Amino acid sequence: MKKRAVISTVASVALAGVMCVGFAACADKAESMKGEEVDKATWEAAFAAANFENVKIEMKSSLKAEMEGQSYKESEEGELIIADGKAYYKMHAEASGEGEEETEDVEQYESKAEGDVIIYTKNDAGNWAVNDDEYSMAFNGVNQYIALASQYEMFEYSADKKGYVMKAGAGEGVSLSGLGAVYKFQNGKLAAIWAEVDASMNGASTKGSMSVIFTYGGQSVTLPTVA
């Protein structure tokens, strides 16, 4: 599916700066939620690393692209949970086009030990095992939010979007037509992110959306038994 691969690249670039993974049935909630206006101190506190030490992040994305008369669809959904230095991550993705369909499922646990991240995935026998070749999707995934702590001046509140959007010309992340990540705060915390894309690149047009919902506290992760 060479053409779909090209469109996948378009979609990935379009959603870059929103989140590295796409994903759970939270799209309506993220879009309709009305975020609060916050000052700089509240913004910085909302992105403090401590907030992401016990958190659940539910995510969903869907994209539809057209190129040379062909249509392609992609969707991803899943969740990320961090608690007590341990993490769980799962993702389900589907793609279709040119009469072909593809699916992918990722599931892994992570734990921190002396600054290093240990990753657990299932081996070919279906047993959980330490996997040194996998990337930390959970702990590395929340770093993109922590990095926003110092970027308050790059964003402005939009009553129409019900949250904070990047100021025109402030930086990357809204460079493709129609893309705008909306960061929504409630009770002094980042509560949701909503984004839409309507872009054209290399002869392909891409439309889609992505939603992220955050739940703070009350989480737990039990690491699997390694065979």
Side-chain angles (χ1 to χ4, degrees), residues 151-157 164-172 174:
Q151 298 182 15
Y152 177 76
E153 302 298 337
M154 297 175 64
F155 291 82
E156 61 186 358
Y157 186 81
Y164 280 82
V165 298
M166 186 172 284
K167 295 177 181 177
E172 298 179 357
V174 289

Side-chain angles (χ1 to χ4, degrees), residues 20-39:
C20 296
V21 289
F23 299 73
C26 55
D28 290 343
K29 183 177 180 180
E31 182 181 14
S32 62
M33 179 185 297
K34 184 182 183 207
E36 302 168 350
E37 292 189 61
V38 299
D39 57 20

Side-chain angles (χ1 to χ4, degrees), residues 30-31 36 44 54 58 64-65 68 93-94 102 123 131 134 140 145 171 174 199 204 206 210 214:
E31 182 181 14
E36 302 168 350
E44 293 174 348
N54 190 298
E58 300 171 274
K64 182 178 180 180
E68 298 179 4
E94 298 180 357
E102 298 177 7
N123 57 25
N131 190 332
E134 287 297 322
N140 282 336
Y145 306 120
V174 289
T206 305
M210 190 193 70
F214 298 82

Side-chain angles (χ1 to χ4, degrees), residues 55 146 161 186:
V55 65
I146 297 170
K161 298 291 186 180
Q186 289 190 343

Side-chain angles (χ1 to χ4, degrees), residues 109-119 131-132 136 139-140:
Y109 288 86
E110 303 175 18
S111 65
K112 285 186 176 180
E114 299 181 354
D116 295 326
V117 177
I118 301 172
I119 298 175
N131 190 332
D132 296 329
S136 169
F139 290 117
N140 282 336

